[in-house]
């Protein structure tokens, strides 16, 4: 059966966001002996009312040029629908119900396809170009089209079906589904369905601590890809409960590692303060994983933290974490990365009183630690070039100052700087 009228006017979207193809009034039966054989067809003509004919802008070339139609003619129309979707709803051929105009647009079709292709998702580009080939034999079949990665319909459908019965599953099944299946499938689910079908399930699961860490994976992916208005409308208010409620170690680490994504979409100052409170509280944790994640988070969100918090909260707690874990290589690297990130926002007394003592305690046995120490020294440690000069204004480099940090001599630099001060 040939549809003959594949165009936006024949596509209906139900309440669940599923597309349905209607407009069956122009269907034609294929050649029963050989379905691949073209059959004769009456082309679009201005002598007949346009309401009684398929949409000329989406008709395949062979229909108008050779008065024949085949299985691949509908595939051309589908290609035209795809390009219209990514061309702000405008078909590539706007014939205005004129055969002459149609043929003129057909001559430049390839050029128009090249112009719109960059706006089409990468996995769909090659297939779309082939669908709009003027030779029906070069167009992919419907069966072949469903095999490309973009049309993973079965996976999307099965994922949404699993969501419908998610409350009947045990925590282990939920964790596996949210952590991997849903997160991997989410990019292929139409954006409109994110808030119609996916978000209600995620919103309900956020209240369950045993699956929260897994649920955060797709939630953060959604937050990353939605606009600020969508975030504030659908997500922000519900997500506040996650920020303020007790969480497992895994959930806390997941939040800290992605705190910058949340802050990018959080515009109100009071809401940002609530998000940053997660970071501040994490420094009080006695768990190494949480402390390490908090230090990493500072390097990502430092621009959102005010000067007072940097100096009187972040730095002291960073030093405290280091003092509690001086033998932990991972923590040491995280501490140095954190200090390097906030160093340009510290004044000279803080560097002298807190940063330099910390650096003197660092063991330089690991190359990565040595590199971070050197980077920190190069960034902020300067001494006056005059042996007996006044060091009171040496907090920032000037024409009379030069860096004293030299590779392989960090302890000399630290001692010299502290002594001169």
């Amino acid at each position: 059966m040939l549809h003959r009228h594949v165009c936006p006017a024949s596509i209906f979207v139900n309440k669940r966001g599923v597309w349905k193809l209607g407009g069956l009034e122009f269907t034609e039966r294929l050649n029963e002996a050989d379905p691949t054989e073209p059959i004769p067809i009456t082309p679009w003509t201005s002598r007949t009312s346009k309401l009684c004919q398929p949409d000329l802008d989406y008709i395949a070339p062979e229909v108008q040029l050779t008065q024949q139609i085949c299985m691949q003619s509908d595939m051309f129309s589908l290609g035209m629908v795809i390009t219209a979707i990514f061309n702000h709803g405008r078909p590539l051929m706007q014939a205005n119900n004129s055969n002459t105009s149609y043929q003129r647009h057909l001559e430049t079709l390839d050029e128009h396809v090249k112009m719109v292709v960059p706006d089409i998702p990468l996995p769909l580009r090659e297939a779309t170009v082939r669908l709009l080939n003027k030779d029906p034999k070069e167009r992919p079949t419907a069966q072949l089209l469903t095999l490309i990665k973009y049309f993973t319909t079965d996976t999307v459908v099965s994922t949404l079906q699993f969501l419908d019965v998610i409350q009947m599953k045990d925590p282990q099944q939920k964790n596996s589904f949210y952590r991997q299946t849903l997160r991997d499938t989410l990019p292929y689910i139409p954006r409109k369905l994110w808030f119609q079908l996916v978000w209600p399930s995620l919103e309900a699961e956020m209240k369950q601590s045993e699956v929260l860490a897994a649920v955060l994976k797709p939630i953060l992916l959604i937050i990353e890809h939605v606009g600020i208005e969508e975030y504030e409308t659908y997500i922000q208010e519900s997500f506040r409960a996650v920020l303020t409620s007790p969480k497992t170690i895994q959930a806390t680490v997941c939040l800290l590692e992605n705190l910058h994504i949340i802050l990018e979409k959080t515009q109100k100052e009071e809401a940002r303060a609530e998000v940053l409170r997660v970071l501040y509280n994490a420094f009080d944790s006695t768990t190494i994983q949480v402390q390490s994640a908090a230090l990493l988070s500072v390097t990502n969100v430092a621009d959102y933290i005010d000067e007072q918090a940097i100096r009187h909260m972040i730095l002291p707690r960073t030093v405290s974490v280091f003092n509690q874990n001086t033998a932990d290589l991972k923590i040491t690297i995280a501490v140095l990365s954190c200090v390097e990130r906030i160093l340009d926002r510290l004044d000279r007394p803080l560097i002298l009183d807190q940063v330099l003592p910390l650096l003197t305690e660092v063991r330089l046995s690991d190359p990565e630690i040595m590199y971070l120490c050197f980077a920190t020294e190069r960034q902020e440690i300067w001494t006056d070039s005059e042996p007996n000069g006044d060091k009171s204004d040496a907090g920032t480099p000037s024409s009379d100052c030069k860096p004293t940090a030299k590779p392989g001599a960090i302890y000399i630099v630290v001692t010299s700087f502290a002594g001169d001060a």
Side-chain angles (χ1 to χ4, degrees):
M1 185 74 72
L2 290 172
H3 189 279
R4 290 189 60 212
H5 192 41
V6 177
C7 66
S10 298
I11 298 172
F12 303 92
V13 183
N14 64 19
K15 291 182 179 180
R16 293 177 59 85
V18 179
W19 290 28
K20 301 289 185 179
L21 185 60
L24 303 176
E25 58 271 20
F26 301 110
T27 56
E28 287 284 342
R29 187 181 297 275
L30 289 167
N31 188 329
E32 294 183 0
D34 186 359
T36 61
E37 278 292 314
I39 59 175
I41 195 73
T42 302
W44 193 97
T45 173
S46 57
R47 298 173 184 172
T48 305
S49 170
K50 64 179 182 180
L51 298 177
C52 300
Q53 302 179 88
D55 192 328
L56 180 59
D57 293 342
Y58 295 87
I59 289 179
E62 59 271 16
V63 175
Q64 294 302 109
L65 301 181
T66 66
Q67 300 182 18
Q68 289 185 322
I69 193 169
C70 62
M71 292 179 64
Q72 303 308 94
S73 299
D74 281 345
M75 301 308 292
F76 178 90
S77 300
L78 176 60
M80 292 296 292
V81 170
I82 293 173
T83 53
I85 291 172
F86 296 100
N87 191 38
H88 308 289
R90 298 190 299 269
L92 295 187
M93 294 193 297
Q94 300 181 47
N96 294 319
N97 300 312
S98 167
N99 239 325
T100 304
S101 179
Y102 174 89
Q103 294 187 28
R104 187 168 61 251
H105 278 84
L106 189 61
E107 293 174 359
T108 59
L109 178 61
D110 292 341
E111 298 175 11
H112 286 92
V113 171
K114 291 179 181 178
M115 292 174 62
V116 78
V117 157
D119 296 324
I120 298 175
L122 186 60
L124 192 56
R125 290 179 187 175
E126 182 182 355
T128 302
V129 173
R130 291 184 59 195
L131 285 170
L132 295 177
N133 197 300
K134 295 173 185 176
D135 184 355
K137 296 179 181 179
E138 297 297 324
R139 299 172 198 154
T141 63
Q143 292 79 5
L144 184 61
L145 195 64
T146 59
L147 298 178
I148 69 173
K149 191 174 182 180
Y150 188 83
F151 291 110
T152 52
T153 309
D154 292 341
T155 304
V156 171
V157 171
S158 62
T159 299
L160 295 178
Q161 288 175 340
F162 194 95
L163 269 178
D164 287 339
V165 295
I166 192 71
Q167 297 305 324
M168 301 170 60
K169 306 298 180 180
D170 59 52
Q172 185 176 356
Q173 290 175 307
K174 289 182 179 181
N175 275 310
S176 175
F177 174 75
Y178 287 124
R179 192 182 302 276
Q180 185 170 0
T181 306
L182 181 58
R183 191 180 187 281
D184 293 345
T185 310
L186 204 56
Y188 301 100
I189 299 176
R191 286 277 293 271
K192 186 177 180 180
L193 299 187
W194 285 8
F195 298 110
Q196 287 183 352
L197 302 179
V198 179
W199 175 247
S201 295
L202 297 176
E203 190 175 20
E205 295 290 2
M206 286 193 301
K207 303 172 185 176
Q208 309 298 325
S209 59
E210 64 268 25
V211 296
L212 179 58
V215 170
L216 283 174
K217 297 291 185 179
I219 288 178
L220 290 165
L221 184 62
I222 290 176
I223 293 175
E224 183 178 4
H225 288 91
V226 299
I228 293 174
E229 185 177 349
E230 289 176 309
Y231 172 73
E232 292 178 343
T233 302
Y234 298 102
I235 300 175
Q236 188 171 30
E237 190 60 33
S238 301
F239 199 64
R240 290 180 62 189
V242 176
L243 299 174
T244 56
S245 63
K247 294 172 282 293
T248 63
I249 293 175
Q250 286 182 319
T252 303
V253 169
C254 184
L255 270 180
L256 291 169
E257 290 177 346
N258 296 277
L259 213 58
H260 58 289
I261 295 175
I262 303 170
L263 285 168
E264 285 174 4
K265 302 298 167 65
T266 307
Q267 299 299 301
K268 297 179 180 178
E269 287 300 325
E270 59 271 21
R272 281 187 176 175
E274 204 167 52
V275 176
L276 287 172
R277 200 169 296 121
V278 175
L279 173 62
Y280 303 150
N281 293 337
F283 277 100
D284 294 330
S285 173
T286 57
T287 307
I288 291 181
Q289 297 99 307
V290 175
Q291 292 175 342
S292 180
L295 293 167
L296 173 64
S297 183
V298 171
T299 64
N300 293 328
V301 305
D303 293 337
Y304 297 97
I305 307 175
D306 61 47
E307 303 294 333
Q308 291 297 318
I310 288 283
R311 296 172 182 175
H312 302 297
M313 188 176 297
I314 298 298
L315 180 60
R317 295 188 183 189
T318 299
V319 173
S320 176
V321 169
F322 173 76
N323 291 334
Q324 296 170 21
N325 303 277
T326 53
D328 192 298
L329 178 62
K330 185 177 179 181
I331 288 290
T332 301
I333 292 174
V335 165
L336 291 174
S337 298
C338 179
V339 170
E340 182 186 9
R341 181 69 175 84
I342 65 174
L343 202 56
D344 60 345
R345 299 173 67 179
L346 303 178
D347 52 24
R348 182 179 177 82
L350 280 175
I351 295 176
L352 288 172
D353 295 341
Q354 298 192 47
V355 177
L356 288 180
L358 182 151
L359 292 177
T360 60
E361 296 295 325
V362 174
R363 300 175 183 177
L364 296 180
S365 57
D366 187 270
E368 188 170 354
I369 291 180
M370 188 177 296
Y371 169 78
L372 287 169
C373 284
F374 291 156
T376 304
E377 294 295 333
R378 284 196 299 269
Q379 184 176 346
E380 282 294 333
I381 298 181
W382 298 77
T383 57
D384 198 308
S385 58
E386 295 295 331
N388 298 316
D390 183 9
K391 305 299 185 295
S392 60
D393 295 322
T396 56
S398 67
S399 58
D400 297 327
C401 298
K402 61 182 180 180
T404 61
K406 299 179 181 179
I410 186 169
Y411 282 115
I412 297 175
V413 172
V414 172
T415 306
S416 172
F417 184 78
D420 288 344

